[in-house]
Amino acid sequence: MKLTYYGQSCFSVECSGKNILFDPFISHNELAKHVNVSQLKPDFILVSHGHADHIADCVEIAKQSGATVIGPFEVVNWLNEQGVEKYHPMNHGGRRAFDFGTVKVTNAVHSSQMPDGSYGGNPVGFIVAAEKTFYYSGDTALTMDMQLVPRWGQLDFAVLPIGDNFTMGYEDAILAAEMIRCRHIMGCHYDTFGYIKIDHDQVKKAFAEAGLSLHLPAIGETIDL
Ligand code: NI
Ligand code: MN
């Protein structure tokens, strides 16, 4: 399965013939200036919570592509108020079948507020089961809830935050990989701001020592997972 990284927690996957974009935050990301947002034409956009570093480009991309936005109830209602016409609300524990496969909404230990200060509901993660099965935790602390993930899907890969400060750091992400029983991890939510800059060599070494493969694609790079 092809995955393209767009910086922070934004990435897209080509999944059963559909393009799915996660947590679009590109045009306001200094590290992603070379990505042309107007060229992105996803079929679906999955949004984990209301913070700007996960949603800033969502309205524009949804409008230009006609994508269906899937996310927490409060988040997609807010997006609808901003003019997004195709959306599907979900909430913790729910599973739903879409054209590309199923989406299961998982717990995330974090907070959520829309960019204009309105209520953003509770933050979530997703397990997507399509031609491959993967888990995107969203912004979250390490939580025992992650032990449930393998009961819901045998993962081919997972996308986990490693930047610390606002989410789990890389040491907790290694413990999360154990809980979710997944050896292929793509790191996200790092380097974008001063608070979350990481030492790449140190992080890569720690993952290697734990017997895990860590993918840190360049922004704009496409990898096969
Ligand atoms: Ni956040
Ligand atoms: Mn964030």
Side-chain angles (χ1 to χ4, degrees), residues 49 51 53-54 110-111 139:
H49 64 296
H51 289 157
D53 62 317
H54 299 258
H110 191 63
S111 60
D139 281 8

Side-chain angles (χ1 to χ4, degrees), residues 155-167:
L155 303 180
D156 295 298
F157 66 92
V159 179
L160 304 176
I162 56 172
D164 223 324
N165 194 79
F166 296 117
T167 65

Side-chain angles (χ1 to χ4, degrees), residues 70-122:
I70 301 167
F73 178 81
E74 293 81 359
V75 171
V76 298
N77 282 343
W78 183 87
L79 289 166
N80 178 239
E81 286 166 14
Q82 317 303 311
V84 173
E85 286 171 4
K86 290 164 72 182
Y87 60 97
H88 182 95
M90 294 187 73
N91 220 325
H92 296 248
R95 191 198 297 265
R96 176 90 186 181
F98 296 93
D99 291 356
F100 55 88
T102 64
V103 174
K104 169 96 176 172
V105 177
T106 62
N107 291 350
V109 177
H110 191 63
S111 60
S112 180
Q113 185 181 38
M114 307 315 300
D116 63 3
S118 55
Y119 180 58
N122 290 309

Side-chain angles (χ1 to χ4, degrees), residues 24-50:
F25 169 74
I26 301 163
S27 63
H28 299 274
N29 182 353
E30 286 300 322
L31 305 179
K33 288 290 177 207
H34 56 291
V35 176
N36 187 350
V37 173
S38 67
Q39 302 233 303
L40 299 178
K41 297 283 185 312
D43 300 292
F44 292 87
I45 304 173
L46 269 64
V47 177
S48 66
H49 64 296

